Amino acid sequence: MAEQSFQLYDTTLRDGAQQEGMVLTVEDKLAVAMELDALGVGFIEGGWPGAVPRDTEFFRRARTELDLKHAVLAAFGATRRAGVPAPVDPQVRALLAAETPVITLVAKSHTGHVRDALRTTLAENLSMIGGTVRHLVHAGRRVFVDAEHYFDGYQLNREYALAVVRTAAEAGAETVVLCDTNGGSLPDEVAAVVAETHAMTGVQLGIHCHNDTGCAVANTMAAIDAGAIQAQGTAHGYGERCGNADLFTVISNLVLKRGREVVPLERLAGLAATGRAISELTELPGSAAAPYIGESAFTHKAGLHASALRVDPDLYQHTRPELVGNAMRTLVSDMGGRSSIELKARELGYDVEAGSDEVARAATRVKELESAGYSFESADASFELLLREELTGAPRTRPFEVESWSVSVFGAQAGDAGETVRTEATVRLSVQGRSITATGHGNGPVNALDTALHAALDPCFPALARLQLVDYRVRVLSGETGSSADARVLISYQDGDRRWGTVGVDANTTAASWHALLDAVHYVLLDERPGRATGAPAHHALAEPLSP
Amino acid sequence: MAEQSFQLYDTTLRDGAQQEGMVLTVEDKLAVAMELDALGVGFIEGGWPGAVPRDTEFFRRARTELDLKHAVLAAFGATRRAGVPAPVDPQVRALLAAETPVITLVAKSHTGHVRDALRTTLAENLSMIGGTVRHLVHAGRRVFVDAEHYFDGYQLNREYALAVVRTAAEAGAETVVLCDTNGGSLPDEVAAVVAETHAMTGVQLGIHCHNDTGCAVANTMAAIDAGAIQAQGTAHGYGERCGNADLFTVISNLVLKRGREVVPLERLAGLAATGRAISELTELPGSAAAPYIGESAFTHKAGLHASALRVDPDLYQHTRPELVGNAMRTLVSDMGGRSSIELKARELGYDVEAGSDEVARAATRVKELESAGYSFESADASFELLLREELTGAPRTRPFEVESWSVSVFGAQAGDAGETVRTEATVRLSVQGRSITATGHGNGPVNALDTALHAALDPCFPALARLQLVDYRVRVLSGETGSSADARVLISYQDGDRRWGTVGVDANTTAASWHALLDAVHYVLLDERPGRATGAPAHHALAEPLSP
């Protein structure tokens, strides 16, 4: 039975977004929220409406576009300004305008911060907290209060810190969240302060930790053991400086080590997949060493362990990896290549023989290509094309040939109207001996080439019509040799309800993109001949290699 | 005063080397040992002589090549095999042959492991421990015993686990190290077991933790609080699965949070440098978010924080970064608002007034541009151009104007020779009313445009000659709308010994690159007029805004 009363509060989209290098679009934020909802967190803090334009926009779009099944949205903001009544404070109005079921207010609980950062009196700060909470509760919102710098403030002036907690609760705040904002606390200190605060106030408490002593997860666990009923954290521990408490680790520890089913077991089994999906959206990969869901979390290399692992895997793992959707891996140094190719080929539905020549050839080619800069991890379609060639032992059958391609971009100043830019691509292909020339326009070389390819081929191969380019990334492979270094282009496509990728590497970036575009077309046409309108290869249809 | 009796034990070279992806040569290991010695750890575990040929070689060379000032070397190995007397066991002989002052023996303390992995009786295991320790002590070695799987074993059969500790100590082991080998423990469990073990046996204890619950550092701290006098860990928390306890974090916590000077303060101030040196040797960078020494560990982005940082940096940092050889940084972002603009401006050497209109205007523009897709975190040059415009209150003075630009890429099949690709760019600029047209070739549009720009401008502005494009990245801003979405291009340059970046955003990817290229040229030319060959702006030269 899932534990109903415990509050899992995710702040990836607000505090996590302070992570260096994280830039989320509104679309990214909506997609991350859907992932967190599917995992089963109770509260998703979406941002700071009124202060960050993108967050205001997120809440506006969330109302119509976000169909949460389980979680509720929280808007984050500050208490009213000193001397300004809550109902007319623009920032408080923006919080209400976000129309979320929950509003989380940050409140100062450290006398030094009230004086030096807020520049107001201790009494006015309490009045700001009480007044703002009352106003929001009166407007029908559930209100949480984040007591900022609580642990440092508590050491400095315990009575004032406690007064903040009491004031918030008396004004109607449902939970007061004690924040280790600077992240400098250790678990014993956190446990003591949470227990004392609970004993002195009787208020329902939450915990919000940062990882500056490497103890964010432990501090969160200690606070929960001491009575906190809300845990705040972020996906992968994203956050500024050393990050926030990793909510994924906290959830796993609570369920698997404490037997507190804060998410149901069947959702916990999706945790690793949730982690991967969110990493792709943020473009910030989680650590391979991340507890529970990291790709190395259940990977064994030690000889000492290997013999024991054969006898009983549970002797050398602290929990079963499948409970969080992860898997055990053993690193067998120089066999790593072939076995991972075999594994991947089976994943794709190919019936390959262990240790076969075909697999050895594919492994050798992958190794060569990877040392030339290719990367197949997110280019499954390019990998499958390569695998097919090796499994069938014949060069790829090409439904068309490329004769030439070109693309031009022209920009000119157009007076006050600014700059006008025009991009045009031309492709010359031959399909069964017939030459086809087509032209396409677009926003940049890749888009124009894509458009030209579709214009040339869609009439012959109707299956291509539904292939849509959704994302591409360019990586310069050597940072030391200027823009004349090799470039790797990864392109992602939507193909009906499937999403897959291709890779191209070339000294010329546009050529690298062109090769990745061609791989996509060849992938869709694997089972096609001109005029035949069958579907693209689905994995289940690839159970055996094509005859050449 | 440094705390003499506490034992800091580094196992980077043995347990840390089990980290996925770590391959150390003997030279690497010798160099890592020198770094650890300079930091001030007491014990450096060099490897497993007799089991790993590279480790045998390490100890052989260490005798003549390693000049440790402070630390002593430890060789790691197992107790004698069942039924084999210690003096003739080849692995035990190899341990003595390593000629280290300390030998650390791993001993099984979990009855399941004795039975299923070691396949011997509980009594014989105790005899193996006692006999091997006695033999090594008799040979003049200090002996530590790592009690493997101690915490799991203690839960399963407490009496046996305690018997292992007693047996080792009675045979002469100096410290018995309780190991959370599978890493599944939480701090309260570790604290209780360490305290109970100490109370029941009176033996001097150490602690060895893994990070599978995200609590390795907290578990180590809890064990020390409960009486352990030896902490084992690794540089950067290297280790298999989720890694070992990060010894750098443990040391920092002990010194700065507990006031236990386990290394002297002057050595602690070298910690960040030690971390960087070891990362370079292992080729495995530490996390930017690593507590204390990560490059983001004292980096601030939040607007909420930035205003307080202005008043008093200590309000928003849990310790002084210089104590560990780190530094505070500020990032410019839409979450930073005015205060982070102010801080960044001061970092760049501009004497801005707090709360001035200029800062407000710059903050508004950064916000607008970021919501349009710009990102200034790694585009400091583009930010500085923007800042200058706002500070001077006048549009940027442009040393040249763009009339038009174009770039073409042409690819063609050239028979068996494969594909030939040619890229050509043409720029038409006007410098002081004189029109200049130049053409450049390159590997892709960005490189060709860069070449053409240099060809057109270098004769007029010699300072540009040393500007070198070293990296660029393209990000499609919306993953949902195909390649016709906006693109953000980030370009990095090397300019003498400085490195900085620019950003461009446009619906057309090539136009986005072009704008980022232009920003770089404008940045170098901030203080230039045609024909004047002064240097590029250095930060100290920007102490006040240019007159328009």
Side-chain angles (χ1 to χ4, degrees), chain A residues 13-14 29 44-49 52 55 58-59 74-77 95:
Chain A
L13 299 178
R14 202 270 310 170
K29 296 187 79 156
I44 298 171
E45 191 173 84
W48 191 335
V52 181
D55 291 357
F58 166 80
F59 287 111
F76 175 91
L95 279 172

Side-chain angles (χ1 to χ4, degrees), chain B residues 103-164:
Chain B
I103 292 176
T104 301
L105 287 176
V106 59
K108 302 243 179 252
S109 59
H110 180 294
T111 54
H113 280 268
V114 174
R115 196 179 50 238
D116 296 335
L118 215 54
R119 296 182 188 206
T120 189
T121 64
L122 299 181
E124 172 65 2
N125 180 51
L126 291 179
S127 161
M128 288 154 61
I129 296 167
T132 314
V133 171
R134 260 189 302 277
H135 176 64
L136 298 176
V137 169
H138 189 74
R141 301 299 195 275
R142 292 171 72 181
V143 176
F144 299 153
V145 169
D146 279 2
E148 208 194 26
H149 296 284
Y150 188 81
F151 295 89
D152 301 331
Y154 190 89
Q155 303 305 336
L156 188 70
N157 186 334
R158 169 192 308 207
E159 284 318 311
Y160 190 74
L162 291 170
V164 165

Side-chain angles (χ1 to χ4, degrees), chain A residues 19-197:
Chain A
Q19 158 96 32
E20 192 168 347
M22 189 176 312
V23 186
L24 296 177
T25 63
V26 174
E27 280 78 15
D28 293 337
K29 296 187 79 156
L30 292 166
V32 168
M34 287 308 291
E35 291 292 334
L36 293 166
D37 182 52
L39 174 63
V41 308
F43 303 89
I44 298 171
E45 191 173 84
W48 191 335
V52 181
R54 205 176 305 168
D55 291 357
T56 311
E57 173 73 3
F58 166 80
F59 287 111
R60 196 188 60 72
R61 288 184 51 185
R63 288 202 287 278
T64 51
E65 296 175 39
L66 201 58
D67 182 21
L68 300 178
K69 303 292 183 204
H70 180 262
V72 296
L73 274 188
F76 175 91
T79 54
R80 68 168 177 81
R81 284 183 206 177
V84 181
V88 300
D89 184 295
Q91 199 254 143
V92 174
R93 293 167 68 104
L95 279 172
L96 287 170
E99 293 185 22
T100 55
V102 172
I103 291 175
T104 301
L105 286 177
V106 59
K108 303 245 180 251
S109 58
H110 180 295
T111 53
H113 281 269
V114 173
R115 194 181 49 239
D116 295 336
L118 215 53
R119 297 182 186 202
T120 189
T121 64
L122 298 181
E124 171 66 1
N125 180 50
L126 291 179
S127 160
M128 287 154 63
I129 297 167
T132 314
V133 171
R134 260 188 302 277
H135 176 64
L136 297 176
V137 169
H138 188 73
R141 300 300 194 276
R142 293 170 71 180
V143 175
F144 298 154
V145 169
D146 280 3
E148 211 195 22
H149 295 284
Y150 188 80
F151 294 91
D152 301 332
Y154 190 89
Q155 304 304 338
L156 188 70
N157 186 335
R158 170 190 310 208
E159 284 317 311
Y160 191 73
L162 291 170
V164 165
V165 173
R166 289 196 190 98
T167 302
E170 282 161 12
E174 181 179 327
T175 306
V176 176
V177 183
L178 310 185
C179 302
D180 186 26
T181 310
N182 290 357
S185 299
L186 293 173
D188 54 339
E189 299 156 6
V190 169
V193 172
V194 170
E196 284 171 32
T197 301

Side-chain angles (χ1 to χ4, degrees), chain B residues 37 72 95 160 176 204 222 246 262 317 373 376 384 414 481 494 505:
Chain B
D37 182 51
V72 296
L95 279 172
Y160 190 74
V176 177
Q204 181 162 293
D246 184 334
V262 295
Q317 56 193 23
F376 293 98
E384 193 165 338
T481 48
Q494 191 79 37
V505 174

Side-chain angles (χ1 to χ4, degrees), chain A residues 296 405 419 423 447 472 483 509, chain B residues 20 405 411 447 472 483 508-509:
Chain A
S296 300
W405 56 273
E419 194 183 41
T423 307
N447 187 219
Y472 64 97
S483 56
T509 47
Chain B
E20 192 168 346
W405 55 274
N447 187 218
Y472 65 99
S483 55
N508 189 295
T509 46

Side-chain angles (χ1 to χ4, degrees), chain B residues 125-283:
Chain B
N125 180 51
L126 291 179
S127 161
M128 288 154 61
I129 296 167
T132 314
V133 171
R134 260 189 302 277
H135 176 64
L136 298 176
V137 169
H138 189 74
R141 301 299 195 275
R142 292 171 72 181
V143 176
F144 299 153
V145 169
D146 279 2
E148 208 194 26
H149 296 284
Y150 188 81
F151 295 89
D152 301 331
Y154 190 89
Q155 303 305 336
L156 188 70
N157 186 334
R158 169 192 308 207
E159 284 318 311
Y160 190 74
L162 291 170
V164 165
V165 173
R166 288 196 189 97
T167 301
E170 283 161 11
E174 181 179 326
T175 305
V176 177
V177 183
L178 311 185
C179 302
D180 186 26
T181 310
N182 290 357
S185 299
L186 294 174
D188 54 338
E189 299 156 8
V190 169
V193 171
V194 170
E196 284 171 34
T197 301
H198 193 255
M200 310 277 276
T201 65
V203 170
Q204 181 162 293
L205 300 176
I207 183 71
H208 173 111
C209 293
H210 285 261
N211 201 36
D212 300 72
T213 64
C215 293
V217 166
N219 285 346
T220 304
M221 297 300 293
I224 296 168
D225 289 343
I229 62 90
Q230 178 180 121
Q232 296 197 351
T234 61
H236 298 299
Y238 292 138
E240 76 173 341
R241 305 193 315 273
C242 307
N244 287 50
D246 184 334
L247 198 61
F248 295 160
T249 309
V250 169
I251 290 171
S252 304
N253 282 343
L254 284 171
V255 178
L256 300 174
K257 301 295 169 185
R258 293 296 199 220
R260 297 183 64 168
E261 235 177 271
V262 295
V263 303
L265 281 176
E266 62 270 23
R267 286 176 187 248
L268 190 67
L271 187 64
T274 304
R276 283 192 299 270
I278 292 180
S279 291
E280 272 165 32
L281 291 163
T282 61
E283 293 189 344

